[in-house]
Amino acid sequence: MAGTIEVLVPGGQANPGPPLGPELGPTPVDVQAVVQEINDQTEAFDGTEVPVTVDYDDDGSFEIDVGVPPTAALVKDEAGFETGSGEPQKDFVADLSVEQVKKIAEQKHPDLLAYDTKNAAKEVVGTCASMGVTIEGDDAREFKEKVDDGEYDDALAA
């Protein structure tokens, strides 16, 4: 590979302008083809910032590797809020269902250290705790204890 470009783009909404255009302009690749490929691969993340790596060769060929957005971005997108709480132990900004936590855990699983969905969900819940997000009406720490006690084993089964 002749070079590598790493950028954050909104899922399914990349365009030839910054940050992609200025990075790709001096390379031998077809900028529009790269943008289209990125949008095709990131459309599931609809607007959420997604890390993308573009590897290109001198002949104009390229490969795109799409990462997974940060857990906090997925939580905000799923729960529908802009910023986390300034006091996450007191002021709660949103509430997620177990199904929503499972969905985020499944999206993030390739990037997490967890072996299964249950443990991936516990990592997501940790992020929720620091953002002021409750799960099923419970403080994230209380929810994690219930998960540890096996209360949500069926709901979080892979």
Side-chain angles (χ1 to χ4, degrees):
M1 290 284 150
T4 301
I5 296 169
E6 295 179 0
V7 291
L8 272 177
V9 298
Q13 299 171 12
N15 63 57
L20 273 175
E23 294 283 339
L24 291 172
T27 69
V29 301
D30 176 355
V31 175
Q32 199 56 48
V34 172
V35 168
Q36 186 59 49
E37 180 74 21
I38 288 172
N39 285 335
D40 290 346
Q41 290 188 31
T42 62
E43 66 184 327
F45 294 114
D46 189 33
T48 304
E49 294 283 308
V50 182
V52 174
T53 303
V54 180
D55 292 313
Y56 61 89
D57 264 324
D58 290 329
D59 65 2
S61 62
F62 62 89
E63 286 181 24
I64 294 173
D65 182 40
V66 176
V68 180
T71 305
L74 293 173
V75 170
K76 286 194 285 189
D77 191 46
E78 188 66 30
F81 65 93
E82 291 296 316
T83 57
S85 172
E87 295 185 53
Q89 281 73 35
K90 293 186 215 163
D91 297 329
F92 301 110
V93 295
D95 185 60
L96 293 176
S97 67
V98 177
E99 293 77 24
Q100 289 173 304
V101 170
K102 182 179 180 181
K103 177 182 171 187
I104 295 166
E106 288 170 344
Q107 287 177 313
K108 277 301 285 187
H109 198 218
D111 284 2
L112 299 177
L113 298 173
Y115 293 113
D116 58 20
T117 304
K118 177 180 175 180
N119 285 302
K122 286 166 52 177
E123 289 191 43
V124 171
V125 168
T127 300
C128 290
S130 67
M131 296 176 72
V133 175
T134 57
I135 297 97
E136 297 286 333
D138 289 328
D139 178 275
R141 290 163 192 78
E142 294 168 17
F143 179 81
K144 183 185 168 297
E145 288 175 18
K146 290 181 179 181
V147 170
D148 287 339
D149 292 341
E151 201 170 311
Y152 291 99
D153 283 358
D154 290 343
L156 295 174

